[in-house]
Amino acid sequence: MKESLYKPAIVLLLCCTSLSLSCGTKRNIIVNVPQKTSLSLSNENKKAKYLDYREEFKKLLNKKKLLLPFSELITEAYQKVNHQPILVTKFLPEKNLQILLDYLEKCDEHGLDTTLFYIPDIKEKLAAVNASKSSDSLRAYQNLVKLELATATALIRYSMILQYGLVNPGIIYTETQYSTPTLQPDSITIMHVFEVKDLKKYLDSIQPKSSAYIKLQKTLIAAKENSSTTTDEIRKSLVVNMERLRWKNRPIEEKYVSVNIPGFTLDMIDKGKSILRMKVCVGEKGQWETPQLGSKIFRIQVNPVWNIPQSIARDEISKNAAQDRYYLSNSNIKVYKKGVLIRNSESINWSTVNLDEYSFQQQPGAENALGKIKFLFENKSSVYLHDTPHKVFDQPMRAISHGCIRVQKPLELAYALFEKGSKYELIKNAMQNGYPRAKFIDLPQQIPIRIDYFTVGLDAKGTVHYYKDIYDQDPILYKAITKQF
C-alpha cells in the first residue's frame, strides 16, 4: 500500500495511531480507519472510507452550527482542510487543552462567567476521548470531532471577548447615545485562532494591556478574595468598566483628547500618558445628556457666536425674555424673524408669539455662554467643547450643561492642540482683545477626541476612583453582559 493513500486518514485522526492524553493518566488510544475488507482494498474503496469520515465531520458540524460563534467562518475553516480536526491535533498531544481550560476557569478575573465557554462540555468530551476504545473507531472519531468543535467554540469566544468585548455597544445604545467608531472582530482575526501554534503564548498575548484594565482586573481579583468587605455595587462597577475598556474604540493616533463624562474630567493623552488634565461640565441628566462619541477636533472659534438651539430658545430664552423685556439686549442676543434681524425685540410679547418663526444668536462678549473659545468636531449631536464665563468648576456635581462640554482651562487646551507658534499667539491675543470679534482658526493637524463613560477610573497616580453613574448607564450594560451568560 502506498503511503499517500493512507496519509489523509492518519492526518484526520490526530496524525498518529497512539496519543498521550491530558486530564488524567496516560492512556493509549488507537484510532483506525474502519475496514470491512483486507488491506488490499481498491483505491476506490479506500477513498470511500475516507469520505465516510469526512461526512461524519460534516454531519456533526451541521448539528452544532447554531451554537458556534461566527458559524459561517468556522464552517469555512473546516471546509478548507476537507473537514479534518485542526485544534485537537495540535493541542491534545502536548496536553495544551488543559492550558486552555486553566485560562477559561479563571475568566472571572475579567468579570466573565465560566458558562460562556462551555467548560463542562470540553471536559466531558475530553473524558470521552480518553475512554474511547480502539475497537469502536467510529465512536472514537465522533468524540474527537465533538471535542474539536467544543474547543473551537470556547477558544474563539474567549479570544474575541478579550480583544473586542462581550457586548457590541452599537447594539445596546442608540446612535445619539453612542457614536464612537468601534471595531468588531473581522474574518482574519477569527480565522487566526486556527493558526495558533503556541497556545499559552497566544492566550497571554490577548490579555488587555492598558494600565487601567490591569488595575481594575487586580482590584476585581482582590474584591473576590475579600468578598465579605466588597459590596455587590463595587463588583458590578468593575465588571462593566472592564467591558468598556475591552471595546476597540481608542484612536490609532498617539495624541488625542479624552473626556470622561461621569468623572467630569478632560485629559490630553500623548503616547499613553496624560499631559494635561482639567475639570469639565457635562450635560444634565435627561434630554441634555452628553453622548459618548468619537471624532476629530479640526477647528476652533475664538470669541464665538452662539447660535442658540431652538429647544433652548423655547424652554429658557423666550421665558426669560417674557419676564424681563431687556433680557435679550442685556445678554447681547440678536433676534431674527424668518432670517430678518429684529431691531426692537423689547416690544415683542414672547408669551404669545410663534417661536418657530424666530431664531436667536448671542454675540461675542463677556456674557456669551460659550465664553472666549469653542472647539469644534463633527458629530450628529451638535456637541462641542467650550469655555464658560461662569464659575462652576468647584461644584462636585457638574452635569449641568445642555450637552456640550465646558472646559476649565480653555487656553491651556488650545496650547496643547496648537502648540507654540503664530496660531496659538493669535488665539491668545484674540481671547484677550477688549473688542472681541468671532474668528475661526483651523488646527494644523486634526486631533482625535473620545467622549467616554467610565464610572471607575484612575487618577494621575494610578489610584482607583469610583464615580457616580449620573446617567444610570451601568445597569443597562450589566444587564446586557449577564444576558450573554
Side-chain angles (χ1 to χ4, degrees):
M1 179 178 293
K2 293 182 180 179
E3 181 182 355
S4 60
L5 296 176
Y6 227 62
K7 191 173 181 180
I10 295 172
V11 171
L12 188 65
L13 301 173
L14 295 183
C15 308
C16 57
T17 58
S18 64
L19 296 174
S20 174
L21 300 175
S22 60
C23 292
T25 58
K26 288 187 178 180
R27 173 187 175 88
N28 288 335
I29 172 172
I30 310 299
V31 186
N32 296 318
V33 178
Q35 306 221 3
K36 294 182 180 179
T37 59
S38 66
L39 291 179
S40 62
L41 283 169
S42 66
N43 288 349
E44 289 77 12
N45 283 338
K46 291 166 189 169
K47 185 177 181 182
K49 288 303 174 185
Y50 171 57
L51 290 175
D52 284 344
Y53 273 77
R54 189 169 64 182
E55 290 303 319
E56 190 65 30
F57 194 114
K58 286 183 182 179
K59 183 171 70 175
L60 291 168
L61 178 60
N62 288 332
K63 188 176 180 180
K64 295 284 187 181
K65 197 169 182 179
L66 292 177
L67 298 175
L68 296 174
F70 312 104
S71 59
E72 295 301 323
L73 288 172
I74 293 177
T75 300
E76 180 185 338
Y78 288 117
Q79 286 173 345
K80 288 181 178 179
V81 295
N82 292 322
H83 293 92
Q84 301 176 37
I86 301 173
L87 300 175
V88 294
T89 56
K90 291 186 291 186
F91 303 144
L92 192 57
E94 301 300 324
K95 298 187 178 182
N96 280 335
L97 281 187
Q98 186 57 51
I99 292 176
L100 175 61
L101 285 168
D102 290 343
Y103 276 76
L104 296 180
E105 288 179 325
K106 293 191 294 184
C107 68
D108 59 344
E109 295 179 358
H110 297 279
L112 303 171
D113 194 280
T114 55
T115 57
L116 286 167
F117 307 110
Y118 307 105
I119 295 172
D121 193 39
I122 296 176
K123 290 182 176 181
E124 178 187 338
K125 301 301 186 295
L126 190 53
V129 170
N130 268 312
S132 297
K133 297 178 180 180
S134 59
S135 60
D136 191 353
S137 56
L138 178 59
R139 178 62 62 86
Y141 182 74
Q142 290 173 336
N143 290 334
L144 197 68
V145 173
K146 291 177 181 178
L147 178 60
E148 170 76 17
L149 297 178
T151 300
T153 299
L155 180 57
I156 291 174
R157 178 166 286 185
Y158 182 80
S159 176
M160 296 307 111
I161 291 174
L162 258 63
Q163 294 181 86
Y164 294 89
L166 176 59
V167 175
N168 181 349
I171 294 176
I172 64 170
Y173 296 116
T174 65
E175 191 175 8
T176 55
Q177 291 175 318
Y178 187 96
S179 58
T180 305
T182 305
L183 297 179
Q184 294 299 308
D186 58 17
S187 58
I188 295 175
T189 305
I190 297 164
M191 298 292 265
H192 173 69
V193 171
F194 291 104
E195 300 170 2
V196 171
K197 294 179 181 179
D198 187 328
L199 186 56
K200 186 178 187 308
K201 184 177 180 180
Y202 174 72
L203 293 172
D204 287 340
S205 73
I206 61 175
Q207 157 75 35
K209 303 296 193 301
S210 74
S211 57
Y213 189 94
I214 293 172
K215 185 70 174 182
L216 266 59
Q217 187 178 18
K218 291 179 178 178
T219 306
L220 183 62
I221 294 170
K224 179 185 175 184
E225 294 173 351
N226 301 285
S227 57
S228 60
T229 59
T230 303
T231 66
D232 190 51
E233 185 89 13
I234 289 177
R235 188 189 64 81
K236 288 180 179 179
S237 294
L238 292 168
V239 168
V240 297
N241 284 281
M242 289 174 69
E243 170 67 8
R244 289 173 178 136
L245 288 167
R246 286 191 289 264
W247 294 340
K248 277 197 179 325
N249 56 12
R250 297 293 89 189
I252 59 173
E253 294 86 347
E254 291 185 330
K255 186 175 182 179
Y256 63 94
V257 173
S258 175
V259 175
N260 182 23
I261 296 170
F264 305 129
T265 55
L266 178 150
D267 287 86
M268 173 63 78
I269 306 297
D270 193 3
K271 297 177 181 177
K273 295 183 178 180
S274 175
I275 60 173
L276 175 66
R277 172 169 283 199
M278 67 186 70
K279 298 176 181 179
V280 299
C281 298
V282 300
E284 187 178 348
K285 179 176 171 56
Q287 66 171 324
W288 303 117
E289 293 178 7
T290 299
Q292 301 174 64
L293 63 84
S295 187
K296 289 188 176 182
I297 302 174
F298 66 94
R299 177 180 298 162
I300 62 97
Q301 186 181 32
V302 187
N303 299 312
V305 171
W306 183 29
N307 295 303
I308 301 173
Q310 193 67 19
S311 56
I312 298 177
R314 181 177 301 279
D315 295 341
E316 298 179 26
I317 303 300
S318 62
K319 292 180 180 179
N320 291 336
Q323 294 175 358
D324 179 0
R325 61 184 300 189
Y326 297 109
Y327 168 78
L328 295 172
S329 57
N330 289 339
S331 300
N332 204 13
I333 296 175
K334 290 183 178 181
V335 181
Y336 298 83
K337 183 176 183 180
K338 297 181 179 180
V340 178
L341 179 65
I342 303 297
R343 298 290 181 182
N344 57 341
S345 60
E346 294 88 351
S347 63
I348 298 174
N349 185 347
W350 292 105
S351 61
T352 61
V353 298
N354 180 7
L355 286 173
D356 292 337
E357 297 179 347
Y358 293 86
S359 59
F360 302 82
Q361 187 183 78
Q362 189 174 38
Q363 303 306 299
E367 296 299 320
N368 190 284
L370 307 184
K372 295 292 187 74
I373 186 172
K374 68 177 179 180
F375 304 80
L376 301 171
F377 44 92
E378 292 184 0
N379 64 93
K380 294 181 180 180
S381 302
S382 300
V383 167
Y384 43 84
L385 310 177
H386 66 85
D387 181 24
T388 177
H390 307 296
K391 299 182 184 298
V392 292
F393 294 104
D394 288 335
Q395 299 178 20
M397 169 51 70
R398 295 194 295 277
I400 56 176
S401 80
H402 294 105
C404 289
I405 297 167
R406 306 176 190 176
V407 297
Q408 181 188 25
K409 304 173 184 177
L411 190 57
E412 291 183 36
L413 178 58
Y415 184 83
L417 293 171
F418 286 86
E419 299 182 349
K420 189 175 182 179
S422 58
K423 284 192 173 183
Y424 171 71
E425 291 300 321
L426 179 61
I427 293 167
K428 184 171 70 172
N429 292 334
M431 289 177 67
Q432 295 171 349
N433 195 324
Y435 299 93
R437 290 184 301 173
K439 184 175 183 62
F440 286 104
I441 303 174
D442 290 340
L443 268 68
Q445 182 177 349
Q446 295 185 13
I447 302 295
I449 179 170
R450 292 293 184 268
I451 301 177
D452 297 310
Y453 196 92
F454 291 106
T455 52
V456 182
L458 307 183
D459 63 16
K461 297 180 180 179
T463 304
V464 175
H465 286 269
Y466 297 86
Y467 306 115
K468 181 177 174 59
D469 181 13
I470 56 175
Y471 297 161
D472 297 324
Q473 290 288 347
D474 282 5
I476 296 172
L477 180 52
Y478 188 78
K479 182 179 179 180
I481 291 171
T482 53
K483 188 178 180 180
Q484 308 297 319
F485 298 165

